[in-house]
Amino acid sequence: MSITATLKSRGLIKDSTCDSFDDKDRFYVGFDPTADGLHVGSLLPIVISRFLVSQNKQVTLLIGTATAKIGDPSGKSKERSLLSQEQIETNHKAVQASLTKLVPGATIVANHSWINQLSLFDFLRTIGKHVSVKKLLNMDSVKSRMDSEQGISFTEFSYSLFQAFDFAWLANEPSKRMEVQFGGSDQWGNILAGIDLASKMFEINNLQAFTFPLLTKQDGTKFGKTESGAVWLDKNKLTPFGLFQFFVRLTDEETKELFPKLCLHLSDETIKQKQETLKGPRELQTFLAKEMVNLVHGSEELKEAENQTKLVFETKSNDSSSLTEEQIFVCKQQSIELMKFIVEVGWCKSNNEARRLVDAGGIRIDDVTCIDQKILLSKETHPQGCWIVKGKKHKKFLKFND
């Protein structure tokens, strides 16, 4: 099966400018260094990049060290906080280290190396002159903010121009000659702006692009660095065990959606075979968890995560009776809100205090830091129960009645 056909069959192409990219050799995708690590929302561009490298394509990973100074308004209902230069540099190093490990064989560049050379007048004359304000106002990322109470600043309004210039510059640079840009579906307007700018600035008229669907949580919101419930790929921010547990706890619907996308390294035959045979409770989730932890952290960390999972869940299923009454919280219902749990066990006196505790990262569920105030703990999501920990000293085993 061709490259394009494979991506389409796995549901990894949402928008595209052409029917096939098989004859193209040079691809690039961007990553914003707005945090000191990558999260699960970055897995799709990572697995696509790895796949393209395996097909002998030249892949460039762009880290937006210049555009991070501005902030992408896409998918945001309010203005981003501006990052300091020191924070951007710290984030750049962390993101580059992760990408180097996760996508061997790709080239990594940072856009400050060409954008920082532009003066304000260069920007207005060489870029701004070719961009229609009417088109910018019609972009979804701009329209949604224009209609909001807060509106949009000129700073974030200009973001699309800089991302467009990235594509134009990379297409024109003799050592790069990028042909195809791919990115999340929320970047479609910015990507098309780059194709248009390259045509007007450099008379390059053969550029193509495609987008992939964003990874979303069950409530429809996307997994991201600042969304509640972020899941990190850096083991210093989330342990391999925590990442393993995240995938094991996916719903059947989420697993069915994510499995063929994230396991792009597996053949179609293997995907079909696993879907047909792994039909027991959490079997497909566990297989996906193993594949993702191995991809992100390697075989040794996967083995440790599996051993830790076995230890934790054997304790839950066989030894919970040996726990003291003080260590166990028995929920008589089929579910309980996290805020209610925190108050009922006496860790906080009110829901407001509990929310502040969660916002500060003071609660862990089975070794995974939780920053989702609205999380619902249930027998369905934790059939064997779970450990909930506050800080370093307080922990309770949550058990649901049969």
Side-chain angles (χ1 to χ4, degrees):
M1 190 180 292
S2 70
I3 291 174
T4 308
T6 298
L7 294 174
K8 286 182 177 179
S9 70
R10 299 297 181 91
L12 287 171
I13 295 183
K14 187 175 187 297
D15 310 288
S16 63
T17 55
C18 62
D19 294 330
S20 175
F21 308 98
D22 295 344
D23 62 337
K24 303 298 182 181
D25 294 317
R26 293 176 289 277
F27 296 71
Y28 97 91
V29 62
F31 296 83
D32 278 333
T34 47
D36 58 347
L38 298 171
H39 53 86
V40 293
S42 302
L43 277 175
L44 286 188
I46 287 169
V47 299
I48 293 172
S49 297
R50 290 170 63 96
F51 172 69
L52 291 171
V53 169
S54 74
Q55 301 300 306
N56 298 316
K57 301 297 184 181
Q58 297 177 35
V59 177
T60 295
L61 311 177
L62 182 152
I63 301 177
T65 47
T67 39
K69 297 179 182 179
I70 297 172
D72 183 3
S74 301
K76 296 296 176 183
S77 59
K78 60 183 180 180
E79 194 87 2
R80 291 176 183 264
S81 299
L82 292 176
L83 298 174
S84 67
Q85 182 61 39
E86 181 182 10
Q87 186 61 60
I88 292 173
E89 290 174 0
T90 298
N91 296 350
H92 176 202
K93 291 178 182 178
V95 171
Q96 179 162 326
S98 293
L99 290 175
T100 300
K101 173 187 173 185
L102 292 170
V103 194
T107 299
I108 301 176
V109 298
N111 64 3
H112 72 268
S113 63
W114 57 86
I115 289 180
N116 281 6
Q117 298 176 19
L118 289 172
S119 69
L120 174 60
F121 290 104
D122 289 335
F123 170 76
L124 293 174
R125 287 176 63 87
T126 62
I127 300 174
K129 187 70 174 176
H130 297 293
V131 178
S132 165
V133 172
K134 183 177 180 180
K135 283 188 176 181
L136 289 177
L137 290 173
N138 283 329
M139 292 176 62
D140 290 339
S141 60
V142 174
K143 285 173 65 177
S144 62
R145 289 283 294 279
M146 291 286 287
D147 294 337
S148 69
E149 183 177 345
Q150 187 180 26
I152 186 170
S153 68
F154 177 76
T155 300
E156 289 198 354
F157 180 74
S158 67
Y159 179 90
S160 178
L161 280 70
F162 287 100
Q163 185 172 327
F165 183 59
D166 284 340
F167 199 0
W169 189 90
L170 287 169
N172 187 61
E173 173 64 20
S175 63
K176 302 290 186 285
R177 298 298 189 197
M178 289 298 113
E179 299 171 292
V180 181
Q181 181 182 178
F182 62 98
S185 57
D186 59 343
Q187 298 299 311
W188 186 233
N190 295 335
I191 293 172
L192 292 180
I195 292 176
D196 186 56
L197 185 61
S199 176
K200 291 176 179 177
M201 285 186 69
F202 304 118
E203 296 184 351
I204 299 174
N205 299 306
N206 61 342
L207 300 184
Q208 303 295 343
F210 68 90
T211 66
F212 48 82
L214 299 174
L215 286 182
T216 58
K217 296 185 289 186
Q218 194 170 11
D219 61 6
T221 59
K222 70 177 183 179
F223 293 112
K225 298 179 287 295
T226 58
E227 311 296 338
S228 61
V231 181
W232 301 96
L233 305 182
D234 185 337
K235 68 178 181 180
N236 295 317
K237 297 173 76 66
L238 178 66
T239 64
F241 170 72
L243 184 65
F244 190 94
Q245 289 305 308
F246 163 75
F247 283 105
V248 167
R249 290 190 187 129
L250 292 176
T251 66
D252 291 342
E253 292 75 18
E254 289 170 333
T255 307
K256 182 180 179 181
E257 176 73 19
L258 296 177
F259 179 55
K261 291 183 173 71
L262 293 178
C263 291
L264 189 56
H265 59 289
L266 300 178
S267 68
D268 290 343
E269 292 74 17
T270 300
I271 293 292
K272 183 178 180 180
Q273 186 263 333
K274 295 300 180 183
Q275 288 173 327
E276 291 176 348
T277 58
L278 300 178
K279 292 187 176 182
R282 304 285 163 185
E283 284 188 348
L284 190 57
Q285 284 93 330
T286 300
F287 182 84
L288 177 59
K290 291 178 181 180
E291 292 297 311
M292 291 301 99
V293 173
N294 185 54
L295 184 152
V296 174
H297 297 297
S299 58
E300 290 302 314
E301 296 285 8
L302 169 60
K303 187 182 300 182
E304 181 64 27
E306 288 185 284
N307 290 338
Q308 193 172 354
T309 297
K310 184 178 180 181
L311 178 64
V312 169
F313 286 101
E314 280 187 350
T315 299
K316 290 178 182 178
S317 59
N318 300 325
D319 301 329
S320 61
S321 60
S322 66
L323 299 176
T324 67
E325 186 175 341
E326 291 184 351
Q327 291 176 301
I328 301 176
F329 178 89
V330 179
C331 180
K332 298 179 180 179
Q333 308 298 322
Q334 294 296 300
S335 64
I336 185 171
E337 294 178 354
L338 178 61
M339 296 297 101
K340 183 178 180 181
F341 170 86
I342 293 172
V343 173
E344 288 199 11
V345 298
W347 291 345
C348 291
K349 296 180 180 179
S350 67
N351 283 345
N352 285 337
E353 186 180 341
R355 291 187 187 97
R356 289 193 293 271
L357 175 65
V358 172
D359 284 343
I363 294 293
R364 300 197 312 279
I365 302 174
D366 281 341
D367 202 36
V368 179
T369 299
C370 177
I371 56 173
D372 185 354
Q373 297 178 0
K374 298 180 181 179
I375 192 170
L376 184 70
L377 303 163
S378 69
K379 190 171 183 178
E380 180 182 357
T381 57
H382 299 85
Q384 296 170 301
C386 61
W387 281 104
I388 302 179
V389 181
K390 174 193 173 188
K392 296 181 179 180
K393 298 182 179 179
H394 305 283
K395 68 177 182 177
K396 287 278 187 180
F397 181 73
L398 172 62
K399 180 180 180 181
F400 295 94
N401 269 344
D402 296 330

